[in-house]
Amino acid sequence: MEAVCLNSEPLFGEGDQYEDEGDCSMLEHRDEAHEMQLKKEFLPPTVGLEFESFDEAYDFYNVYAKEQGFGIRVSNSWFRSKRRERYRAKLSCSSAGFKKKSDANNPRPETRTGCPAMVIIKLVESKRWRIVEVELDHNHPVSPEVKRFYKSHRKMFLAAKKGQPSQPIKEIHTIKLYWTAVVDAICNGHSKTDERVDRNPTNHSKHLELKEGDAPAVYNFFCRMKLTNPNFFYLMDLDAEGHLNNVFFADARSRIAYNYFSDTVTIDTTSLTNKYEIPLISFVGINHHGQSVLLGCGFLGHESVEYFVWMFRAWLTCMQGRHPQVIVTDQSKPLDIAVSEVFPQARHCYCLSYIMHRVPEKLGGLTGFETIKRQLNKAVYDSLKISEFEIFWAEMINQHSLVDNKWLQLLYAGRQRWVPVYLKDISFVGILLINDSECSSAFFDGYVHKHTSFKEFLDKYDLALQRKHLKEAMEDFESRNSSFELKTKSNFELQLSKVYTKGMFKKCQIEVEGMYSCFNTKQVNSDGPIMTFVVKERKEVEGNDKEVKHYEVLYEATQIDVRCICSLFNFKGFLCRHALSVLNYNGVEEIPLQYILSRWSIDYKRNFPLDAGFGDADVDSPLQWYNHLFRRSLQLLEEGAQSQEHYQAVTRELDTLMTKFSLVDKRFM
């Protein structure tokens, strides 16, 4: 490690403006007998730089901020509860976040933009403060030529003025830095500048950064899971030196759930995007209640193509090579390449909610942001035709002079993978959110936060899955043993109440009720057996206003096929109110069977062929015997949990088998 001293001499005049003239030189190299001269420009914040104290770290970022033309503030601090000792802090641009809404008659105008620029510093074992995360990009203009006097800069001025009140102020501002191997890697060009390509802000050695106690926690977790859950699967990726690069694991329920729900899968990398302490990656599907279900997860040592490919292949091995039909991910070059390499036959789409969630961060500093946001939402959510989206998008770009905005350029280039109007031919079964009023949450939401450790996550893993499984079991029970409340006299609603699970019935029920907001269904064209209808619907817009929208619906009477331009059936897996209105208009009393998906039915798991897609068990392979028997036995478990009578019958048969094989019931040990 190299010690670095940054000496700058800020000169303060009689006014409240000042300029810096700095000279940075390397004073000492602890391991090698050589010196190097740094550039005159002040060293930018870099992951791995260390400081003697919190104040010196703050001063370093403050001086850098002044040179760049922005102010800073301490936006977050973490303290050890007993001693109130600060051990972590987030220093943000003064435009970070947003102020709370004021009830005052004349509130001050909003000056913050939700700017993401920041550094996070942490007290490490050496008792120094280390930069562990850096974001240099702002979402608003910054320039050293703009002579705005920020509060953080005024602190430097007042401190210097207090030191020598009667003389022209001249302060020697000395900050001692420690030059680590991480900084060397960055300064030698080994780090990518793209925030999503080959980015690992906390460890450039490209392996998992395990802290004290994490390694035994991982080992003990896998041992415990293997003992209590023999069908538990895990793989570890080690480098030549024995460092742990990646880990993948899935329990028995996740593996069997994939057999049922392998059609559409989301690869959740929220923890990587938000730079959580654990680099968690989750594979998530949608079950027959419309709930998220875990299909496996892992820890990724580095956001690179190579590491993503390893993780995807590990997951595919766990699932015996069965590919999903649709994969939804965040927008990222490494992910794009890895998905195309491992899942070449799957349709790869970007998660709309991930993208729209970043809008305030990426565009919040632009003039007219609220108008831009409304226009973007209109283009994304309200476009029924591709031509409409192109027009709305062009209006937004041209009106606000956004043609050079790189983020919007990136979005537009990939629009065919995330804008709903381009994705109408894909079956998403509800995994893609297509309405701005919908909200999504990660599978481990509430169990994982930014500073959750490996050990803490593994301790919570069982609890999280047990609660999710309990919730699914309760939905199964209620779906079988409860009568659903009907809100209309429609035969469609009655038909769905007899077939679907409770959760899915309620979603379909909203569309049946929505038929009453549709009116003036009218045939406008006929082309052989195919008729075109237009259905009008009153929709609420901002405030209490309403507007009338027109939806084209194609109807073929022979096969009773119906297709609406909104494509809700492909997005969600059930017919929309517009299609139901056309069926009702043509005297169809029941929804055609091709639009009643078995994956939403109460008996979906009971009737599902458990060996579908896996082939016959290999008579010479004990592993295949185990997997085959496990899938068969799970069907018994599902059936046995349906009633007291079924439970007792299954228990009797299991007792007979245990006696036959001289097995001991562990309940009595």
Side-chain angles (χ1 to χ4, degrees):
M1 181 180 291
E2 299 172 358
V4 183
C5 223
L6 298 180
N7 299 313
S8 61
E9 298 184 359
L11 301 178
F12 298 83
E14 296 180 358
D16 58 0
Q17 315 285 336
Y18 66 91
E19 298 289 341
D20 280 352
E21 292 183 1
D23 178 43
C24 304
S25 59
M26 181 79 66
L27 292 188
E28 178 186 356
H29 188 296
R30 293 195 168 190
D31 301 315
E32 301 177 19
H34 77 273
E35 295 183 356
M36 64 175 290
Q37 190 73 22
L38 293 178
K39 295 181 180 179
K40 275 221 169 197
E41 291 82 21
F42 199 84
L43 185 69
T46 306
V47 170
L49 285 179
E50 294 183 359
F51 306 84
E52 289 286 2
S53 66
F54 169 84
D55 289 339
E56 288 198 358
Y58 178 93
D59 290 343
F60 169 81
Y61 191 44
N62 200 19
V63 172
Y64 167 79
K66 179 182 177 295
E67 290 194 348
Q68 298 298 313
F70 67 96
I72 69 167
R73 58 189 172 86
V74 182
S75 57
N76 279 298
S77 289
W78 289 265
F79 296 88
R80 292 188 174 90
S81 57
K82 292 183 179 180
R83 302 190 297 270
R84 290 297 295 169
E85 176 188 12
R86 188 181 350 227
Y87 67 91
R88 190 182 184 99
K90 182 178 182 180
L91 310 179
S92 300
C93 170
S94 57
S95 294
F98 296 96
K99 293 181 179 178
K100 293 182 179 179
K101 291 185 177 180
S102 173
D103 296 329
N105 294 330
N106 296 305
R108 293 183 178 180
E110 179 62 81
T111 57
R112 297 182 184 177
T113 64
C115 180
M118 60 85 197
V119 299
I120 292 181
I121 56 176
K122 177 182 176 183
L123 188 63
V124 294
E125 294 80 2
S126 60
K127 300 303 179 183
R128 289 193 287 266
W129 286 82
R130 178 187 299 166
I131 296 180
V132 294
E133 292 184 30
V134 174
E135 176 58 65
L136 298 180
D137 293 336
H138 299 259
N139 66 358
H140 58 92
V142 294
S143 172
E145 297 177 358
V146 178
K147 299 298 183 181
R148 177 173 176 181
F149 203 79
Y150 292 94
K151 288 183 179 179
S152 61
H153 304 162
R154 183 172 175 79
K155 290 179 181 178
M156 292 192 297
F157 171 77
L158 291 175
K161 190 171 182 179
K162 184 177 181 181
Q164 298 182 14
S166 60
Q167 312 222 350
I169 300 166
K170 182 175 181 179
E171 180 202 15
I172 302 297
H173 189 76
T174 303
I175 302 174
K176 190 171 185 181
L177 303 180
Y178 291 85
W179 188 277
T180 66
V182 172
V183 184
D184 275 330
I186 295 172
C187 292
N188 289 331
H190 298 311
S191 175
K192 304 290 186 182
T193 57
D194 190 304
E195 65 174 347
R196 294 306 314 280
V197 180
D198 260 3
R199 171 174 56 79
N200 189 352
T202 57
N203 191 345
H204 287 266
S205 57
K206 299 186 180 181
H207 57 73
L208 294 173
E209 188 178 0
L210 300 178
K211 297 183 178 177
E212 184 177 354
D214 285 342
V218 172
Y219 175 77
N220 291 334
F221 170 77
F222 288 149
C223 290
R224 183 178 77 250
M225 294 301 290
K226 259 311 200 185
L227 287 172
T228 60
N229 191 342
N231 209 33
F232 181 82
F233 179 97
Y234 71 93
L235 282 178
M236 293 185 178
D237 178 25
L238 303 174
D239 64 15
E241 298 177 354
H243 294 130
L244 189 58
N245 293 338
N246 304 294
V247 176
F248 171 81
F249 54 96
D251 74 345
R253 282 189 173 270
S254 293
R255 300 184 73 184
I256 205 66
Y258 185 71
N259 196 21
Y260 296 127
F261 310 114
S262 62
D263 44 6
T264 302
V265 175
T266 290
I267 300 176
D268 186 354
T269 54
T270 304
S271 295
L272 306 179
T273 305
N274 295 338
K275 304 176 185 177
Y276 281 19
E277 193 163 310
I278 56 169
L280 178 67
I281 180 171
S282 305
F283 298 82
V284 181
I286 296 292
N287 68 10
H288 55 312
H289 299 291
Q291 304 165 332
S292 61
V293 56
L294 187 67
L295 306 174
C297 58
F299 303 128
L300 194 77
H302 189 246
E303 286 186 76
S304 66
V305 174
E306 176 189 358
Y307 281 46
F308 278 125
V309 166
W310 183 93
M311 187 67 67
F312 296 165
R313 285 180 174 160
W315 179 65
L316 208 54
T317 299
C318 174
M319 302 308 173
Q320 300 184 23
R322 189 175 184 182
H323 289 240
Q325 299 168 24
V326 178
I327 291 177
V328 180
T329 73
D330 198 358
Q331 187 177 22
S332 155
K333 285 184 180 179
L335 277 171
D336 287 353
I337 298 170
V339 168
S340 65
E341 181 176 333
V342 182
F343 309 107
Q345 298 177 345
R347 289 291 299 269
H348 181 202
C349 305
Y350 300 143
C351 182
L352 176 59
S353 60
Y354 289 176
I355 291 173
M356 299 306 286
H357 183 71
R358 293 197 189 106
V359 170
E361 173 190 333
K362 298 294 185 178
L363 306 178
L366 299 177
T367 303
F369 167 67
E370 292 299 329
T371 303
I372 294 172
K373 182 181 176 182
R374 282 195 301 270
Q375 290 178 300
L376 180 60
N377 285 346
K378 181 179 180 181
V380 172
Y381 296 117
D382 295 347
S383 298
L384 294 175
K385 300 178 180 179
I386 291 176
S387 58
E388 292 178 358
F389 171 80
E390 297 290 347
I391 291 172
F392 294 152
W393 185 276
E395 286 179 353
M396 175 188 70
I397 296 296
N398 295 330
Q399 181 179 336
H400 301 280
S401 301
L402 299 174
V403 68
D404 294 325
N405 187 285
K406 295 189 182 303
W407 188 64
L408 290 177
Q409 288 176 354
L410 185 66
L411 291 187
Y412 185 75
R415 64 194 181 282
Q416 295 182 343
R417 287 189 174 181
W418 67 275
V419 179
V421 74
Y422 288 95
L423 304 174
K424 292 184 176 183
D425 63 328
I426 304 175
S427 177
F428 287 101
V429 296
I431 210 163
L432 190 72
L433 305 183
I434 58 168
N435 193 299
D436 59 348
S437 62
E438 295 179 292
C439 58
S440 64
S441 59
F443 182 85
F444 289 106
D445 192 33
Y447 299 93
V448 176
H449 53 77
K450 190 152 190 171
H451 303 297
T452 300
S453 66
F454 285 90
K455 183 179 184 303
E456 186 180 357
F457 171 77
L458 295 174
D459 288 342
K460 292 180 177 180
Y461 173 84
D462 272 343
L463 177 62
L465 264 63
Q466 286 175 13
R467 288 180 176 175
K468 296 281 186 178
H469 295 150
L470 177 61
K471 186 177 180 181
E472 179 178 331
M474 290 299 296
E475 284 288 317
D476 281 337
F477 180 82
E478 291 183 11
S479 295
R480 291 184 178 281
N481 299 283
S482 302
S483 57
F484 303 146
E485 178 186 359
L486 302 182
K487 298 184 178 180
T488 72
K489 296 182 179 180
S490 170
N491 286 336
F492 299 150
E493 184 182 20
L494 179 62
Q495 177 191 8
L496 293 167
S497 71
K498 296 177 179 179
V499 180
Y500 278 179
T501 61
K502 179 181 178 181
M504 291 312 302
F505 169 72
K506 286 187 174 182
K507 294 180 179 181
C508 296
Q509 189 177 47
I510 293 173
E511 293 305 309
V512 175
E513 288 185 279
M515 291 170 61
Y516 293 97
S517 66
C518 299
F519 63 99
N520 198 25
T521 301
K522 182 178 180 181
Q523 182 179 341
V524 296
N525 192 22
S526 178
D527 184 8
I530 300 176
M531 294 172 281
T532 303
F533 291 83
V534 170
V535 179
K536 295 182 180 179
E537 181 190 3
R538 291 188 183 90
K539 300 195 71 173
E540 290 187 3
V541 292
E542 292 187 12
N544 296 322
D545 296 335
K546 290 189 176 183
E547 68 175 8
V548 175
K549 294 202 69 172
H550 298 68
Y551 294 86
E552 290 184 10
V553 182
L554 299 180
Y555 176 70
E556 198 278 316
T558 307
Q559 301 295 326
I560 316 183
D561 280 337
V562 61
R563 306 268 179 97
C564 180
I565 195 171
C566 77
S567 292
L568 187 73
F569 182 74
N570 279 352
F571 287 125
K572 300 296 184 182
F574 48 84
L575 287 178
C576 64
R577 59 195 66 184
H578 320 114
L580 294 174
S581 295
V582 169
L583 291 177
N584 185 64
Y585 180 87
N586 285 278
V588 180
E589 295 185 353
E590 288 193 341
I591 297 173
L593 292 181
Q594 64 264 37
Y595 301 110
I596 302 291
L597 298 188
S598 60
R599 82 176 321 281
W600 305 135
S601 68
I602 297 172
D603 295 324
Y604 176 63
K605 284 189 174 182
R606 297 169 70 182
N607 299 332
F608 189 86
L610 281 175
D611 290 324
F614 289 93
D616 296 330
D618 187 342
V619 295
D620 296 323
S621 171
L623 177 61
Q624 290 295 329
W625 296 341
Y626 179 91
N627 289 331
H628 184 77
L629 288 171
F630 180 83
R631 292 194 295 274
R632 293 288 300 276
S633 63
L634 192 69
Q635 200 167 18
L636 276 176
L637 296 178
E638 297 286 350
E639 192 63 36
Q642 302 309 318
S643 67
Q644 182 73 19
E645 180 183 354
H646 286 194
Y647 170 76
Q648 292 175 350
V650 172
T651 301
R652 283 195 300 270
E653 295 302 322
L654 288 175
D655 288 342
T656 300
L657 285 173
M658 293 182 74
T659 301
K660 181 177 180 179
F661 293 112
S662 302
L663 299 176
V664 180
D665 192 335
K666 293 182 179 180
R667 293 176 301 173
F668 305 109
M669 292 182 66

